[in-house]
Amino acid sequence: MSYQFTIVVPVYNEEDNLLRVEKELLAYIKIATKKTNVLFVNDGSKDKSQDLIEAICQRNLEFNYISFKENRGLSAAIKAGFDYVDTELVGYIDSDLQTSPNDFNLLLENIDEFDLVTGVRSNRKDSFTKNMSSKIANGIRRAFTHDGMDDTGCPLKVIKTEYAKRIPMFKGLHRFLPAMILLQHGKIKQVPVQHFPRMAGQAKFGLWNRLLGPLADCFAYLWMKKKYINYEVNKKG
């Protein structure tokens, strides 16, 4: 079966959410504007996530998985997803489902003209502390990258796979995906999407790693921007 779009779903200790992920992604696949499949990336979960993932993939042809030997972090899980997909488009959504898979269609409406389309969480349903720390972190990152994006932490994105595979991913740099596309002279856009409270499981990021991590990563990005190799082939024979 020829798919056009792969949704990468990073998973770390999300056993309480995975059946809902299955249900909502199956419902989305039926209305998706591109032929869609799903790739779970199990980031070394210590609960029953892997057993659930295997059961989901066994009963649904559209679902596949890869599983890490040990926990390597969200950036590594996203990078592995990008490495393993073979469709022309790749997206990702968090397994906590605080964003809706249905909103992928809003992003896909714009992907022909742009190389990355990211969601912007409107009317966020997070705590005051989480909202403020994210707002501050986004302001810091925007000052360093000049990417014009308001919410790079939004876990709902669609990218042309040829661009995604060229992203030099490092730990923490999943927050910099729009900026990484700009390094390739790609075009980016943000689109408002829905946001929901977390229904189950535990958040993986706290106050300090939302603020101090992004600040340190900004300096890593500046170094990378200076060293980044970008080229276009004019002729070959």
Side-chain angles (χ1 to χ4, degrees):
M1 189 177 295
S2 180
Y3 295 103
Q4 301 167 291
F5 177 43
T6 300
I7 299 172
V8 174
V9 185
V11 176
Y12 180 61
N13 294 343
E14 294 285 2
E15 63 180 7
D16 294 330
N17 279 314
L18 286 171
L19 294 180
R20 191 163 63 96
V21 170
E22 176 188 21
K23 179 180 177 181
E24 293 205 18
L25 285 174
L26 280 173
Y28 170 68
I29 286 170
K30 293 178 181 177
I31 64 166
T33 55
K34 302 284 186 181
K35 191 71 174 175
T36 300
N37 66 349
V38 177
L39 176 66
F40 287 114
V41 181
N42 183 11
D43 183 21
S45 295
K46 297 176 175 62
D47 61 1
K48 296 179 181 178
S49 291
Q50 182 60 28
D51 292 338
L52 286 166
I53 287 170
E54 291 185 25
I56 291 168
C57 293
Q58 189 171 17
R59 60 180 172 252
N60 298 291
L61 291 175
E62 302 92 346
F63 288 67
N64 295 283
Y65 74 88
I66 56 176
S67 183
F68 288 177
K69 291 178 65 175
E70 56 188 12
N71 177 244
R72 304 304 295 169
L74 180 57
S75 292
I78 294 171
K79 168 64 172 166
F82 292 171
D83 288 344
Y84 274 80
V85 302
D86 58 6
T87 50
E88 63 186 84
L89 298 172
V90 59
Y92 91 87
I93 188 171
D94 279 354
S95 48
D96 60 18
L97 288 184
Q98 286 193 257
T99 50
S100 170
N102 292 350
D103 285 343
F104 273 122
N105 281 350
L106 297 177
L107 308 188
L108 289 168
E109 285 179 9
N110 298 274
I111 198 63
D112 288 343
E113 186 179 351
F114 295 88
D115 304 301
L116 173 146
V117 185
T118 182
V120 179
R121 292 166 286 189
S122 56
N123 192 21
R124 284 185 65 172
K125 301 298 191 296
D126 288 323
S127 67
F128 174 80
T129 300
K130 187 173 180 179
N131 284 337
M132 285 304 298
S133 62
S134 292
K135 187 173 290 188
I136 293 168
N138 273 301
I140 293 170
R141 175 202 42 73
R142 200 161 48 243
F144 276 78
T145 64
H146 305 289
D147 61 10
M149 299 288 104
D150 297 315
D151 185 18
T152 61
C154 178
L156 200 74
K157 292 179 172 62
V158 175
I159 313 173
K160 288 178 179 170
T161 301
E162 62 179 305
Y163 283 82
K165 286 183 179 293
R166 292 199 298 262
I167 293 173
M169 190 76 82
F170 291 85
K171 186 176 181 180
L173 291 187
H174 60 274
R175 305 178 185 94
F176 290 74
L177 293 179
M180 295 297 183
I181 300 302
L182 290 179
L183 284 183
Q184 301 179 45
H185 306 305
K187 296 192 294 182
I188 61 178
K189 181 179 176 129
Q190 56 185 5
V191 175
V193 297
Q194 304 172 86
H195 190 248
F196 305 93
R198 177 183 265 273
M199 301 295 291
Q202 298 293 321
K204 307 305 186 293
F205 295 94
L207 174 62
W208 293 112
N209 58 18
R210 277 197 194 91
L211 291 178
L212 297 183
L215 179 59
D217 293 340
C218 283
F219 291 101
Y221 168 78
L222 290 181
W223 176 86
M224 188 179 307
K225 182 178 180 180
K226 184 177 180 180
K227 301 292 186 179
Y228 185 72
I229 295 172
N230 196 35
Y231 64 88
E232 292 182 48
V233 174
N234 185 36
K235 292 182 179 179
K236 63 179 181 178

